Amino acid sequence: MTAPDLVLALHGTRSPAGQAVATDLMLAVATALPGVTVHLGWADVLSPTLTETLAALDDAVVVPGFLTT
């Protein structure tokens, strides 16, 4: 049995720094969970949206990651 994909649900930002934080978070989670494919799903501003990301997957666990300073 394979592990379901993991989707980080993030708010979205136009800030390049904020987008870099999201990518870094995704890579850190993927490193911590070998064998699990990690995706981003954006709630606003960016794509792919959470809906688009989930539509492309068969089985997934969604983890909210709404970050702020």
Side-chain angles (χ1 to χ4, degrees):
M1 175 181 225
T2 61
D5 288 6
L6 189 144
V7 179
L8 297 175
L10 303 175
H11 184 271
T13 178
R14 288 183 177 86
S15 163
Q19 293 172 28
V21 168
T23 299
D24 289 347
L25 176 63
M26 179 183 69
L27 293 173
V29 171
T31 299
L33 299 173
V36 175
T37 303
V38 182
H39 307 268
L40 294 178
W42 300 100
D44 192 24
V45 181
L46 298 170
S47 62
T49 65
L50 181 56
T51 301
E52 291 166 341
T53 299
L54 291 172
L57 302 173
D58 290 326
D59 193 18
V61 172
V62 178
V63 177
F66 296 92
L67 308 172
T68 186
T69 53

